[in-house]
Amino acid sequence: MKIICQKDILQKGVNIVSKAVPSKTTMPILECILLDASEGQIKLTANDMELGIETKINGEIEDPGKVALDAKIFSEIVRRLPDNDVTIETDNNFNTLITCEKAKFNIPGKEGSDFAYLPEIEKDHYISLSQFTLKEIIRQTIFSIADNENNRMMSGELIEINGSELRIVSLDGHRISIRKVELKDDYGQMKVVVPGKTLGEVAKILSGDAESEVLMFFTKNHVLFEFDDTTVVSRLIEGEYFKINQMLSGDYETKVQINKRELASCIDRATLLVKESDKKPIIMNVLDELMELKLVSSIGSLNEEILITKSGKDIMIGFNPKFLMDALRVIDDEEVTLYMVNPKAPCFIKDKKESYIYLILPVNFIA
Amino acid sequence: MKIICQKDILQKGVNIVSKAVPSKTTMPILECILLDASEGQIKLTANDMELGIETKINGEIEDPGKVALDAKIFSEIVRRLPDNDVTIETDNNFNTLITCEKAKFNIPGKEGSDFAYLPEIEKDHYISLSQFTLKEIIRQTIFSIADNENNRMMSGELIEINGSELRIVSLDGHRISIRKVELKDDYGQMKVVVPGKTLGEVAKILSGDAESEVLMFFTKNHVLFEFDDTTVVSRLIEGEYFKINQMLSGDYETKVQINKRELASCIDRATLLVKESDKKPIIMNVLDELMELKLVSSIGSLNEEILITKSGKDIMIGFNPKFLMDALRVIDDEEVTLYMVNPKAPCFIKDKKESYIYLILPVNFIA
């Protein structure tokens, strides 16, 4: 194989596919990036068997062929090359010479045929949305997946299509995050659970451009994302997602409108008094026109007051400050509305259209 | 005690003195910042018994007094307060109320009288130089102190005054870094060894302003830095520094002029092939008008060529690439000159005026 391409193009491609290189694996071939120039175009591929990414890059093929190169070494090399044309050439033993200006790297490669290619995916069911929207709704929900492996379903996010409405849901047993967006077309009914890791990596690769589209194809076991010159294929999490609709009742006893920045700053201050080992709640005392906030820990105490607009009953309720903070951080509105029933029942933060719903369970506290 | 001061001024002061708070100590009082408003001005102090920092801040004293507050908690609190006036008030038990707008923090404090004040320093011997110069010469030499505690002398830097010339020296057994600067006055003869940690922290606090001065006072056991509203006192390292002058012979067999950026980029590339565990040298083959560079490791190999201007003999010599890189990084010249004798003797990188001298020992290699 012998190919020539520009350093910046090569680097961009390597960065994209590197997201699918496993940090730990018992199969050394998975730690590689496959360079495939055997079929008239240059493709880079990485695949950890759950998540696979392929991207095409522009370049010249002088001698068709393919080679698998250690992803970490190869990307380090590419990153430090001068900003010029890079020539990559392999011999019959897959020893690979990478030349750029007067720098010549020599590293061992592996036979490409050992490589695990991306699975073939049927392209029957799909949706289309903008890169911006997909990147945003992932960011706005991914923080509340559970990262432990005890409950595989909680480590994924539900993506549900209902006509032209897309709903994305994550939950970890203490809270639920939901975002809804309107799609341009009616795509019927679909429901899949995508691994959080896949969504996180896809969000990193997406340009976030509002004008560029992503196509998402769904099969029984896989989801495929197609955008720019890149294809991402991931396994789905099998099984039935949690029934969340019954938890989303619209009843409330107390409704509070509060300035988001003020609330977030207060929680941020309170958090510094919380040590990992003793999780102290932030206690909200909701009165007419005023919310008193309080956190007491072994380090010290914080008391603060914020002006609010309230309707309904007074309530005193405690929360894990981190859960409130996570939700507030991804809400763009200047003012947020909290709906509460009692100190044992979940609190909802949502807008009128319910384009976002953040449900947070309160915690017990001693007043 | 009751004081009022602006958040940004308080934060700046806290950041400065925090540099002298030890990360580990058996004396809890040393983990504190002392707020002293007992003598008509507000002073913040921290002291780890080797390095002490004191800074004055503007503010209003409503009730004179002092209190010692946990440095970590206090600085976290100050950082997250709104940008407004901060009131700090202690009761008889040193419980401290920190108020800013509607936020009220309550943390325990300690009696100030337990605190280790800075030692009194005689101000007989001193030099004056610009903050910019001091910050620069520290940065340009501090990387080659030894960070192990086996040789205390190597963990410091020699500061030597000879009339109006200041020389700063660091060495770690493999290399020596020297910077010389001309002072505005003749200050006679002085020679002290200042702990590297002290210099590192001082460099962080210095504004780096070329118009602002630093005064350095020397006694037998201490050095004191005075600049802006801040005083830094540090113990000196006692004993005789290494005799380096005899190592700085001017003889050479090969002189090479080379573009600094090209050499640094090549070494940077070579370094990615070096694992912590197997330290491989970069081998320079100096020919007429050309330097061949080569590094071979278990990961792969790099070969590169750089055009040079050479006088004297050809030479093949190997170096720890990190040591070359460290020196090149702090040299501002576009072109550097290397002086070499043979593959076993130190290489010098220096300018004509010898405002900088970087001596690096070569390493053995198999060609």
Side-chain angles (χ1 to χ4, degrees):
Chain A
M1 187 196 77
K2 184 173 180 183
I3 58 172
I4 302 167
C5 52
Q6 277 169 42
K7 180 243 164 115
D8 55 342
I9 290 178
L10 181 61
Q11 184 171 0
K12 196 178 156 212
V14 168
N15 287 347
I16 289 173
V17 300
S18 288
K19 306 278 187 293
V21 177
S23 49
K24 275 182 196 174
T25 172
T26 50
M27 294 171 66
I29 189 77
L30 299 187
E31 290 170 349
C32 292
I33 292 174
L34 179 74
L35 277 73
D36 186 343
S38 61
E39 289 166 350
Q41 52 187 353
I42 306 174
K43 284 192 296 185
L44 306 179
T45 311
N47 186 1
D48 72 2
M49 305 303 276
E50 180 159 305
L51 170 67
I53 306 179
E54 183 182 285
T55 195
K56 287 176 207 135
I57 61 171
N58 280 327
E60 219 176 290
I61 302 172
E62 294 212 345
D63 183 14
K66 51 192 173 185
V67 65
L69 297 174
D70 182 278
K72 217 170 135 190
I73 305 295
F74 183 52
S75 68
E76 281 283 316
I77 289 176
V78 172
R79 194 162 61 83
R80 302 198 205 184
L81 288 175
D83 213 351
N84 212 325
D85 279 351
V86 180
T87 305
I88 304 174
E89 200 176 351
T90 52
D91 68 14
N92 292 336
N93 298 317
F94 301 100
N95 284 319
T96 303
L97 181 67
I98 303 165
T99 315
C100 184
E101 292 180 4
K102 292 199 170 169
K104 287 179 192 170
F105 275 100
N106 222 311
I107 55 170
K110 290 200 176 84
E111 199 174 341
S113 55
D114 296 346
F115 198 81
Y117 284 85
L118 302 197
E120 283 294 325
I121 300 294
E122 278 181 28
K123 295 189 172 178
D124 294 340
H125 303 285
Y126 80 100
I127 62 169
S128 164
L129 70 170
S130 80
Q131 292 206 25
F132 173 78
T133 302
L134 182 57
K135 198 177 171 105
E136 279 291 282
I137 61 174
I138 293 172
R139 179 180 72 86
Q140 290 159 339
T141 53
I142 200 162
F143 58 86
S144 68
I145 60 170
D147 56 0
N148 70 54
E149 284 292 299
N150 295 337
N151 193 324
R152 180 118 176 83
M153 194 58 74
M154 280 193 190
S155 72
E157 293 203 51
L158 174 71
I159 294 180
E160 199 176 6
I161 315 296
N162 200 339
S164 65
E165 186 188 273
L166 181 153
R167 188 166 78 146
I168 182 165
V169 180
S170 70
L171 61 83
D172 67 1
H174 305 286
R175 49 188 171 158
I176 306 177
S177 303
I178 304 173
R179 285 274 169 173
K180 265 185 239 168
V181 292
E182 204 59 32
L183 302 173
K184 279 181 197 143
D185 287 305
D186 185 323
Y187 294 101
Q189 310 284 324
M190 270 180 278
K191 210 172 174 179
V192 295
V193 183
V194 183
K197 181 178 184 309
T198 297
L199 293 172
E201 301 302 350
V202 166
K204 282 183 209 155
I205 307 171
L206 286 168
S207 71
D209 184 356
E211 303 301 313
S212 310
E213 294 288 299
V214 190
L215 295 178
M216 288 173 71
F217 299 90
F218 302 99
T219 69
K220 193 168 171 298
N221 297 315
H222 289 94
V223 57
L224 182 151
F225 302 80
E226 214 172 73
F227 53 97
D228 303 332
D229 294 311
T230 300
T231 303
V232 179
V233 179
S234 166
R235 281 184 187 278
L236 296 173
I237 297 177
E238 286 172 47
E240 189 78 9
Y241 198 70
F242 308 93
K243 297 199 189 331
I244 57 158
N245 289 338
Q246 60 210 45
M247 302 180 225
L248 306 177
S249 133
D251 300 339
Y252 64 89
E253 298 283 339
T254 311
K255 177 178 166 185
V256 172
Q257 285 164 277
I258 189 166
N259 179 290
K260 193 200 77 168
R261 201 186 47 75
E262 285 184 38
L263 180 58
S265 301
C266 171
I267 296 168
D268 185 41
R269 281 189 279 278
T271 311
L272 74 90
L273 299 175
V274 182
K275 284 189 210 157
E276 277 297 317
S277 50
D278 77 330
K279 287 186 181 151
K280 295 292 180 183
I282 186 159
I283 300 164
M284 295 178 172
N285 190 18
V286 178
L287 307 170
D288 284 339
E289 300 182 356
L290 192 73
M291 183 189 280
E292 293 173 354
L293 295 113
K294 185 177 182 176
L295 192 145
V296 181
S297 81
S298 59
I299 297 172
S301 68
L302 169 69
N303 285 275
E304 197 158 340
E305 288 173 359
I306 302 176
L307 293 178
I308 57 170
T309 306
K310 186 197 82 163
S311 59
K313 291 185 187 170
D314 288 0
I315 185 174
M316 194 185 270
I317 187 168
F319 292 103
N320 178 332
K322 181 182 182 305
F323 292 169
L324 283 174
M325 200 62 185
D326 283 346
L328 293 176
R329 228 180 243 134
V330 297
I331 296 176
D332 291 329
D333 300 345
E334 259 184 55
E335 191 160 76
V336 293
T337 310
L338 281 60
Y339 300 85
M340 287 164 283
V341 179
N342 66 55
K344 307 270 183 196
C347 163
F348 290 85
I349 306 176
K350 60 185 184 185
D351 62 347
K352 277 201 190 109
K353 294 180 302 173
E354 300 200 342
S355 72
Y356 63 80
I357 304 176
Y358 293 99
L359 176 159
I360 302 172
L361 281 180
V363 292
N364 288 329
F365 63 93
I366 303 141
Chain B
M1 188 195 77
K2 184 174 179 183
I3 59 171
I4 301 166
C5 54
Q6 276 169 43
K7 180 241 163 116
D8 55 341
I9 291 178
L10 181 61
Q11 185 173 359
K12 196 178 157 212
V14 169
N15 287 348
I16 289 173
V17 298
S18 288
K19 305 278 188 290
V21 176
S23 50
K24 274 182 197 177
T25 172
T26 50
M27 295 170 65
I29 190 74
L30 299 187
E31 289 171 350
C32 291
I33 291 175
L34 180 74
L35 277 74
D36 186 343
S38 62
E39 289 166 351
Q41 51 187 354
I42 306 174
K43 286 192 296 187
L44 305 179
T45 312
N47 187 358
D48 73 3
M49 307 302 278
E50 179 159 307
L51 170 66
I53 306 179
E54 183 182 284
T55 195
K56 286 176 209 137
I57 60 170
N58 281 325
E60 221 175 288
I61 302 173
E62 294 212 344
D63 183 14
K66 51 192 172 185
V67 65
L69 297 174
D70 182 277
K72 218 169 134 193
I73 304 294
F74 182 53
S75 69
E76 281 282 318
I77 288 176
V78 172
R79 193 162 62 84
R80 301 199 206 184
L81 289 176
D83 214 351
N84 211 325
D85 280 352
V86 181
T87 305
I88 304 175
E89 198 175 353
T90 53
D91 67 14
N92 292 336
N93 297 317
F94 300 99
N95 284 319
T96 303
L97 181 68
I98 303 165
T99 315
C100 184
E101 292 180 3
K102 293 199 170 168
K104 289 180 192 170
F105 276 100
N106 221 310
I107 56 170
K110 290 198 175 87
E111 200 175 338
S113 54
D114 297 344
F115 198 80
Y117 284 85
L118 301 196
E120 282 296 323
I121 300 293
E122 276 181 30
K123 295 189 170 177
D124 294 341
H125 303 285
Y126 80 100
I127 62 168
S128 165
L129 70 170
S130 80
Q131 292 206 25
F132 174 77
T133 302
L134 182 57
K135 198 178 170 103
E136 279 293 282
I137 60 173
I138 294 172
R139 179 180 72 86
Q140 290 160 340
T141 54
I142 199 161
F143 59 86
S144 69
I145 59 170
D147 55 2
N148 72 52
E149 284 293 299
N150 295 338
N151 194 323
R152 179 118 175 85
M153 194 58 76
M154 280 192 191
S155 72
E157 292 203 51
L158 174 71
I159 294 181
E160 199 175 7
I161 315 296
N162 201 339
S164 64
E165 187 188 272
L166 181 154
R167 188 165 79 146
I168 182 166
V169 180
S170 70
L171 62 80
D172 67 1
H174 304 285
R175 49 187 171 160
I176 307 178
S177 304
I178 304 173
R179 284 275 170 171
K180 266 186 241 169
V181 292
E182 204 59 32
L183 302 174
K184 279 183 196 141
D185 288 304
D186 186 323
Y187 295 101
Q189 311 283 324
M190 271 179 276
K191 212 173 173 178
V192 295
V193 183
V194 183
K197 182 177 183 311
T198 297
L199 293 172
E201 300 301 350
V202 166
K204 282 183 210 157
I205 306 171
L206 288 167
S207 70
D209 184 358
E211 303 301 314
S212 310
E213 294 289 297
V214 190
L215 295 177
M216 288 173 70
F217 298 91
F218 302 98
T219 68
K220 193 167 170 298
N221 297 315
H222 289 94
V223 57
L224 183 149
F225 302 81
E226 217 173 70
F227 53 98
D228 303 331
D229 294 311
T230 300
T231 303
V232 179
V233 179
S234 166
R235 282 184 185 279
L236 296 173
I237 297 176
E238 287 172 46
E240 189 77 11
Y241 198 72
F242 309 94
K243 298 199 187 332
I244 58 159
N245 290 338
Q246 61 209 46
M247 303 181 223
L248 305 178
S249 132
D251 300 341
Y252 65 88
E253 298 282 340
T254 310
K255 177 178 166 186
V256 172
Q257 285 164 278
I258 188 165
N259 180 289
K260 192 200 76 166
R261 201 186 48 73
E262 284 184 39
L263 180 57
S265 300
C266 171
I267 295 168
D268 184 42
R269 280 190 279 278
T271 311
L272 75 90
L273 298 175
V274 182
K275 282 189 211 159
E276 277 299 318
S277 50
D278 77 331
K279 288 186 178 150
K280 294 292 181 183
I282 185 158
I283 300 164
M284 294 177 172
N285 191 19
V286 179
L287 307 169
D288 285 338
E289 299 183 357
L290 192 73
M291 181 189 280
E292 294 173 351
L293 295 114
K294 184 179 181 176
L295 192 144
V296 181
S297 80
S298 58
I299 298 172
S301 68
L302 169 70
N303 285 275
E304 198 158 339
E305 288 173 359
I306 303 176
L307 294 177
I308 56 170
T309 306
K310 186 198 83 163
S311 60
K313 291 186 187 169
D314 289 358
I315 184 173
M316 194 186 272
I317 187 167
F319 293 102
N320 178 333
K322 181 182 181 307
F323 292 169
L324 284 172
M325 200 63 186
D326 284 346
L328 294 176
R329 229 179 241 134
V330 296
I331 296 175
D332 292 328
D333 299 345
E334 258 184 57
E335 192 162 75
V336 293
T337 310
L338 281 59
Y339 299 85
M340 288 163 282
V341 179
N342 66 54
K344 307 270 183 196
C347 163
F348 290 84
I349 307 176
K350 59 185 185 185
D351 61 349
K352 276 200 188 112
K353 296 180 300 175
E354 300 199 343
S355 71
Y356 62 81
I357 304 176
Y358 293 98
L359 175 159
I360 302 172
L361 282 180
V363 292
N364 288 328
F365 62 93
I366 304 142

